[in-house]
Amino acid sequence: MTAVEHCAVKITGSGEKTIVFLHGYGCDSGMWCKVAPAFENDFRVITYDLMGYGKSATEHYDPVRYASLDGHVDDLVAILDELRLKDVIAVGHSVSAMTIGLAAKRRPDLIDRLVMICPSPSYANDGDYVGGFEKQDLLGLLDILDVNYLGWARDMAPLIMGVPDRPALGEELTESFCQTDPDIARHFAKVTFLFDHREDVKMITQPTLVLQCRDDALVPPTVWTWLMDNMQNADHVILDATGHCPHVSYPEATTEALVEFVRPRVVS
Amino acid sequence: MTEAIAFGIDPDLWPCGLVVMNETGQIELTNATLREWLGIDPSDQCQSLRFVDVLSRAGRIYFETHLRPLLLMNGHFAEISIDIERSDGTRFGVFMNGRATLINGRMINAHFCVFKNEQRRSFERELVAKRRESDEFRSLVRSSPQAIVSVDRDLIIHAWNPAAEDLFGYTEAEAIGERFDSLLVTPEDQETMADDLLHIATGETLRSEAVQLHKDGRLLHVEKSIAAINDKTQEYSGFVAIFSDISARKASEAKIQVLLEEINHRSKNLLSVVQVIARQTWRLYKGADFFSAFNNRIASLTSNQDMLISSKGSNVDLESLAHAQFAHLIDPEDPQVVISGPAVHLSKSVTQAIGMAIFELVTNAAKYGALSKEAGAVTLSWKINDMPSPMLEMSWIETDGPPVIVPTRKGFGYQVTGPLLEGVTSGQTSREYATEGFRWTLKAPLDRLTQ
């Protein structure tokens, strides 16, 4: 099985240039449904489910491989290689902002521009660095995950994988949004919230758009400041939006900022 | 709330917390129940707070990564267990349902109702603790180097860990659902097992060494421990058996036993050899001469033993090897012993075995055979027979000794002059307890001896 199949890669739109969207922690590629279509006229648009989420081949979720973001970086690199793509624009939300950053560092030939939506290189406070959370808070998330399966039951797994030729499929998929194997959710929560990628983001040289929401419970302004001070080649845009998922709650504003960034630069 | 009151429904009377959140996440309305739980002034509608501000920090992450997207995509969520946090940092657990008012995919506001679930929460924590415990236990069983098998009261196997796969050769899929006794218990042990089960059912834990069957039919030496599993009503519902492989230990125990027998044999032999040396030396030497001759003979015995025992043997000529085996007993020119044969250069690997065999023959002859009498004689000779391929034919012939007695048991000496030697040299030995004297022969392919 290829990485393209593993991660349920969806290719839409057409254009010289490709944009690949990576969803963040919590849900799946359905998160992009209000933003990605806006790019289909001018770009080849790729969305996919991170391993363990959505319609990915969760039976291949290997806790060792995905014990750090490297496993997800491997997947992104493999997908782009399998599709023979170079110089794509990578858009990553939340934790996936770090995934695309790591991939851009490892394989500069694959990614020539990055968009990081609500990124935080490290959620845990550390000395002068204010990530917004104490380690204890972050571990508390694991307790919440332990008691909230969001309707997940192992019997439902086949439904979530999707069975073609079934009329009720669309409805089921909507219902399955955000449903994740609790063990995987717990594991990925650790990878997402307990790692420190501050040194990694300093190494990104490609032009990067950093989109933050003016009020995000997960990413305090101290983190914006840190990113502004430490990233080599980044534009920082603060959206007049609240929450951690502007592409879901404020799709127009998010799309507008993205369009502005990806539009071919015209020499004035 | 005015509208609601107009309908005769006063939200403040409801025994659950009610909250309305606006599009940006700010609190718009709360009811009195929630404000009371939060310890907030009844007149304060909390409009200065974001909804996430009344959640624990971990709860905020969960809300922003799961619940808000769910509201936006699905329009609702239900039965979420989450902590609400007061401004002083204290918390209480609630169940929460949420519903969004969506217009064109845009969330205008969201309504939440929360139910305190402190009591259920402790039960929930217990469940989580149990789940973690059982996860830990499962990984403990899976990673155990000991084979762990759980069996129900009808002897059907229910659990079979990877170590059991390794030990018994059946995969988990093959073993589960099969009968424990037909898979692992030898026919001889079936009866004992029925008896054992009666003891186990009474709560006894059985620990013993046992022999179990491998998938391929061979027998495995194991150490087993079997204990009953009781259900919630303390009724016997089966047992769990733990096996560790002790075949290596058994093999080394057997090896030690052989070594002990060998040591015992050799020490007794050496002591009788020393007696023989003393007796024979006394025949020829007296006084100070006796001591020096005796010492010389003991020294030559020691050096020959060193050479034979040491595995670092060296290439040796057969004739000098043979002489060395007699050196402690008689002078090489003694007419009692004739050693003759063509030059054969023995390889390291066979030197020890042939030397030990000759030493054994010499010792026996000195203790019971021809060399125990003054008139007795021994001829050790060999030749090479080239047909069909070069063979060494060595013979030991005793004459004029005491009457020959056929030994009643085959001891270590028999091994050294028989099977062990045959194994090392790929040869054949024979022995004959003839009236005129004991005879022994070895025939072995020359290339095996001189390589």
Side-chain angles (χ1 to χ4, degrees), chain B residues 23-318:
Chain B
E23 181 182 11
T24 65
Q26 289 297 124
I27 290 178
E28 266 184 355
L29 287 172
T30 52
N31 72 345
T33 314
L34 182 73
R35 291 195 297 275
E36 187 198 323
W37 289 347
L38 284 169
I40 288 176
D41 189 312
S43 62
D44 182 0
Q45 277 296 332
C46 311
Q47 283 163 340
S48 60
L49 294 176
R50 300 175 300 177
F51 180 62
V52 289
D53 292 330
V54 302
L55 300 177
S56 69
R57 297 215 158 225
R60 290 174 200 177
I61 301 178
Y62 191 66
F63 184 83
E64 293 294 0
T65 53
H66 291 79
L67 302 183
R68 185 125 97 158
L70 269 177
L71 285 175
L72 284 153
M73 305 294 290
N74 288 2
H76 60 88
F77 62 76
E79 292 181 51
I80 295 299
S81 172
I82 205 163
D83 276 346
I84 288 202
E85 193 170 292
R86 301 185 183 93
S87 56
D88 64 3
T90 57
R91 293 176 190 179
F92 56 96
V94 296
F95 274 134
M96 176 163 68
N97 287 3
R99 173 179 289 160
T101 312
L102 297 175
I103 293 178
N104 296 329
R106 211 184 159 102
M107 184 170 73
I108 306 305
N109 59 24
H111 291 68
F112 303 104
C113 54
V114 299
F115 301 87
K116 250 191 181 176
N117 71 339
E118 286 296 86
Q119 277 175 16
R120 280 180 173 271
R121 178 62 67 90
S122 59
F123 172 64
E124 217 169 61
R125 282 201 195 102
E126 221 169 272
L127 285 181
V128 169
K130 281 252 160 64
R131 177 172 182 256
R132 282 189 188 165
E133 193 182 299
S134 93
D135 285 350
E136 275 168 26
F137 187 70
R138 197 177 305 125
S139 75
L140 204 69
V141 169
R142 292 206 72 75
S143 63
S144 165
Q146 293 180 316
I148 301 178
V149 178
S150 112
V151 178
D152 71 11
R153 60 194 318 158
D154 300 319
L155 294 183
I156 302 296
I157 294 168
H158 279 248
W160 187 264
N161 74 344
E165 294 188 331
D166 290 346
L167 182 60
F168 297 118
Y170 295 97
T171 64
E172 189 180 8
E174 287 170 331
I176 286 183
E178 291 299 316
R179 282 181 65 97
F180 176 82
D181 49 351
S182 54
L183 224 53
L184 301 183
V185 181
T186 62
E188 302 79 55
D189 287 344
Q190 296 283 358
E191 222 172 287
T192 346
M193 161 150 178
D195 200 38
D196 286 352
L197 286 180
L198 290 177
H199 286 277
I200 293 161
T202 64
E204 234 176 89
T205 300
L206 284 190
R207 286 201 182 82
S208 60
E209 287 184 5
V211 174
Q212 309 283 155
L213 279 173
H214 185 274
K215 185 183 181 184
D216 63 17
R218 82 191 132 94
L219 299 176
L220 297 166
H221 285 282
V222 297
E223 192 167 70
K224 67 175 177 189
S225 160
I226 300 188
I229 307 170
N230 291 334
D231 64 16
K232 286 197 187 93
T233 57
Q234 297 308 309
E235 284 281 309
Y236 171 74
S237 65
F239 62 87
V240 64
I242 301 176
F243 301 93
S244 44
D245 186 358
I246 54 166
S247 40
R249 196 181 88 200
K250 281 283 165 196
S252 76
E253 276 174 9
K255 198 173 166 193
I256 288 169
Q257 193 54 38
V258 168
L259 284 174
L260 280 175
E261 281 169 22
E262 186 178 337
I263 287 169
N264 187 34
H265 170 85
R266 283 201 189 164
S267 352
K268 282 201 288 199
N269 249 1
L270 278 173
L271 286 173
S272 28
V273 167
V274 170
Q275 278 178 329
V276 173
I277 292 174
R279 197 165 63 229
Q280 298 215 357
T281 313
W282 186 252
R283 254 187 245 148
L284 300 170
Y285 305 95
K286 296 286 185 295
D289 287 348
F290 170 81
F291 285 109
S292 100
F294 184 74
N295 278 342
N296 283 343
R297 286 181 168 188
I298 295 289
S300 92
L301 174 69
T302 309
S303 79
N304 184 47
Q305 290 296 306
D306 280 347
M307 189 191 79
L308 292 184
I309 299 299
S310 142
S311 54
K312 292 177 259 153
S314 54
N315 291 31
V316 166
D317 181 65
L318 178 55

Side-chain angles (χ1 to χ4, degrees), chain B residues 280-430:
Chain B
Q280 298 215 357
T281 313
W282 186 252
R283 254 187 245 148
L284 300 170
Y285 305 95
K286 296 286 185 295
D289 287 348
F290 170 81
F291 285 109
S292 100
F294 184 74
N295 278 342
N296 283 343
R297 286 181 168 188
I298 295 289
S300 92
L301 174 69
T302 309
S303 79
N304 184 47
Q305 290 296 306
D306 280 347
M307 189 191 79
L308 292 184
I309 299 299
S310 142
S311 54
K312 292 177 259 153
S314 54
N315 291 31
V316 166
D317 181 65
L318 178 55
E319 189 173 348
S320 49
L321 178 70
H323 273 291
Q325 309 316 311
F326 289 92
H328 58 285
L329 282 182
I330 26 194
D331 299 329
E333 289 78 30
D334 195 309
Q336 263 195 303
V337 176
V338 179
I339 296 173
S340 71
V344 176
H345 217 59
L346 297 173
S347 71
K348 283 179 196 174
S349 56
V350 300
T351 301
Q352 188 190 34
I354 293 182
M356 283 176 75
I358 298 175
F359 182 81
E360 191 64 35
L361 293 166
V362 171
T363 303
N364 277 328
K367 278 162 76 181
Y368 323 108
L371 295 181
S372 67
K373 285 200 138 190
E374 220 162 323
V378 167
T379 305
L380 174 60
S381 61
W382 60 90
K383 60 183 182 187
I384 309 294
N385 193 341
D386 277 325
M387 294 302 288
S389 57
M391 297 283 279
L392 175 80
E393 295 185 5
M394 182 155 62
S395 66
W396 171 277
I397 299 171
E398 297 182 22
T399 46
D400 301 319
V404 174
I405 303 158
V406 181
T408 49
R409 56 182 283 273
K410 289 174 176 173
F412 186 73
Y414 167 78
Q415 294 292 329
V416 171
T417 57
L420 284 178
L421 184 63
E422 290 177 354
V424 174
T425 60
S426 307
Q428 278 185 319
T429 59
S430 73

